[in-house]
Amino acid sequence: MSEVTKNVAAPAAPAAGPGDRRGPGGDRRGPGGPGGPGGPGGRRNGPGGGRPQRRDGRGNDAPASEYNDKVVHINRCSKVVKGGRRFNFAALVVAGDGKGRVGVGYGKAKEVPDAIRKGTDRAHRALVRVNLRGNTIPHEVIGHADGGVVMLRPAAPGTGLIAGGGVRAVLEVVGLKDVLSKSMGSNNPQAIVKATMDGLSKLRTLEQIKNLRA
């Protein structure tokens, strides 16, 4: 008894609809449905279907800082070992909100960005309030720290900041615009910054002076 072979027709492929991911020829990347390139909610390059832009390296949007940070000095220290030299970096950073608050931080690390980040964090935690009079200081003052000696004098509006180096960085972040200054001691950046901070901490308003004398 011979076997009868029945020819069974292959099922026809369904027509590609507007939401089908398959393009012509069965390619998944065809321009058919929303999964194709440029489709809404599809691949990364499509509008509305990509990942959020990475700004801080961790997939989150970096928040805007409310402080003005300035790097005053970066020191490189090398250590000679058997295999060669090992370098470490130290960053001196000043931070302020421009409204009378200022802080100083010193960070150390094996890489420059890490040292700056540490110094910035420590400066934010060490903010202190400074007494100001508009865009200048209430009176003349002299600050001392280690070998650094810095003199600060009030100036008329429009004079600007007559300062340089670490003194200028501290005065800018604290929010001062018209000040005369002179460095009369060591040129060490840390000593200059600390002397400037010491001078700003000695500032007193007229009301405070009256209360002290009463």
Side-chain angles (χ1 to χ4, degrees):
M1 184 175 179
S2 62
E3 297 181 356
V4 179
T5 305
K6 296 182 179 180
N7 296 327
V8 180
D20 193 357
R21 295 176 58 89
R22 296 175 297 177
D27 189 3
R28 295 175 61 88
R29 296 172 296 177
R43 303 178 67 186
R44 295 181 182 179
N45 297 333
R51 296 182 180 179
Q53 296 181 356
R54 297 186 178 183
R55 298 181 181 178
D56 60 352
R58 299 181 180 179
N60 300 322
D61 294 339
S65 176
E66 59 178 337
Y67 302 112
N68 184 14
D69 307 324
K70 287 185 177 295
V71 179
V72 179
H73 181 70
I74 296 179
N75 185 34
R76 187 185 71 174
C77 179
S78 62
K79 179 181 179 181
V80 180
V81 296
K82 184 176 181 180
R85 291 183 179 181
R86 293 181 181 177
F87 294 97
N88 290 328
F89 299 91
L92 179 63
V93 183
V94 294
D97 59 356
K99 300 178 183 179
R101 299 177 63 194
V102 62
V104 179
Y106 196 70
K108 298 180 181 180
K110 295 183 179 180
E111 299 293 338
V112 174
D114 295 337
I116 295 176
R117 178 180 53 81
K118 288 182 179 180
T120 303
D121 294 341
R122 292 175 181 176
H124 291 174
R125 294 195 299 265
L127 292 174
V128 295
R129 177 67 64 178
V130 178
N131 295 315
L132 308 180
R133 189 183 66 182
N135 294 330
T136 186
I137 56 179
H139 54 83
E140 180 180 346
V141 69
I142 298 179
H144 300 267
D146 298 332
V149 181
V150 175
M151 178 184 63
L152 303 175
R153 285 183 177 179
T159 303
L161 290 178
I162 311 302
V167 180
R168 186 180 187 89
V170 175
L171 298 181
E172 284 182 350
V173 299
V174 78
L176 294 170
K177 296 182 180 179
D178 303 306
V179 175
L180 301 173
S181 70
K182 182 176 179 62
S183 178
M184 302 178 293
S186 172
N187 293 328
N188 184 278
Q190 293 189 55
I192 293 177
V193 170
K194 290 181 179 179
T196 306
M197 293 291 296
D198 179 68
L200 293 177
S201 65
K202 296 178 181 178
L203 295 175
R204 298 292 183 270
T205 62
L206 182 60
E207 291 76 12
Q208 291 176 340
I209 296 176
K210 288 182 178 179
N211 294 334
L212 292 175
R213 292 180 177 178

